[in-house]
Amino acid sequence: STTQIMSGTVYIGEWQTKLQNIIDLARREKRVALFINDIFNLMGAGTTSKSDENMGDALAPYVENGEIVLIGECTPETYRKGVEKYPNFKKLFHVVRVKELHDKDVKEVLHRVAGAKCEEVADEHSLLLKFHDNTLDTIQSYGTIYFPGQTAPGGAASLLEQVINQKIDEREN
């Protein structure tokens, strides 16, 4: 995310160096795509009162000439506000609209995500987690409430991730 790239940068040029390192790595490796979950922020990320330089403009030449593949995620509203209003940036992308899943399909995805995340947590943190159907049903319901802008299963998956991270934090503290 743009926030992750910007985090910890204090001095002028730090975010540019971090981004350039990411670009260089992506260019060296074959069959790598950069995924930015807040692509709508790229054109504003990095700008200051003294500089209009931003992450979108820094990435654009590499995307345009095919050296890196950039995949982004956003809602139709954030696309209009953060991508569509920059024609030169917008032309770099092919828009793929993803339809919201039905409840039954969301539940299946949530089960798979929970299983994969629980394995990951067990491997990395030696913490055994298991989510029962009732818990996943509750997470699915609350996912739409707490993340109304996300298409299903996005909100439920985000909430599941937060629950898992909280359990890890509780164990480590």
Side-chain angles (χ1 to χ4, degrees):
S1 71
T2 57
T3 305
Q4 289 171 315
I5 296 169
M6 292 297 294
S7 72
T9 60
V10 178
Y11 302 106
I12 294 174
E14 281 186 294
W15 73 261
Q16 293 92 331
T17 301
K18 284 177 81 172
L19 184 61
Q20 191 60 53
N21 289 339
I22 293 168
I23 291 168
D24 291 344
L25 181 61
R27 288 171 60 203
R28 274 195 310 270
E29 301 295 326
K30 299 297 178 210
R31 301 174 61 135
V32 170
L34 297 179
F35 173 73
I36 306 286
N37 65 357
D38 61 347
I39 198 158
F40 53 90
N41 283 331
L42 281 176
M43 295 307 290
T47 59
T48 65
S49 60
K50 296 179 182 179
S51 172
D52 288 338
E53 193 174 3
N54 62 67
M55 287 186 197
D57 288 339
L59 285 166
Y62 300 101
V63 174
E64 194 166 27
N65 68 22
E67 288 184 75
I68 63 171
V69 173
L70 183 61
I71 299 172
E73 177 182 342
C74 60
T75 64
E77 182 182 341
T78 56
Y79 178 80
R80 281 190 298 279
K81 290 179 181 178
V83 178
E84 199 169 65
K85 71 180 193 177
Y86 300 98
N88 289 336
F89 188 62
K90 176 187 164 191
K91 74 178 182 179
L92 300 174
F93 300 97
H94 299 284
V95 176
V96 177
R97 287 179 172 54
V98 179
K99 293 181 182 177
E100 190 162 7
L101 296 178
H102 297 290
D103 284 346
K104 183 182 112 190
D105 297 327
V106 171
K107 189 172 187 170
E108 183 180 329
V109 168
L110 210 51
H111 272 279
R112 289 183 182 185
V113 169
K117 287 291 183 183
C118 289
E119 281 183 34
E120 183 181 312
V121 168
D123 291 343
E124 291 180 19
H125 301 278
S126 300
L127 176 63
L128 296 176
L129 293 177
K130 182 169 172 70
F131 290 92
H132 296 286
D133 286 343
N134 306 11
T135 306
L136 292 176
D137 289 344
T138 302
I139 288 173
Q140 181 176 346
S141 296
Y142 285 144
T144 58
I145 294 168
Y146 292 113
F147 298 94
Q150 292 189 21
T151 304
S158 294
L159 185 56
L160 176 65
E161 183 90 23
Q162 287 184 8
V163 168
I164 291 171
N165 289 338
Q166 183 176 356
K167 291 295 179 189
I168 292 168
D169 289 344
E170 286 174 6
R171 180 159 192 261
E172 292 178 352
N173 293 328

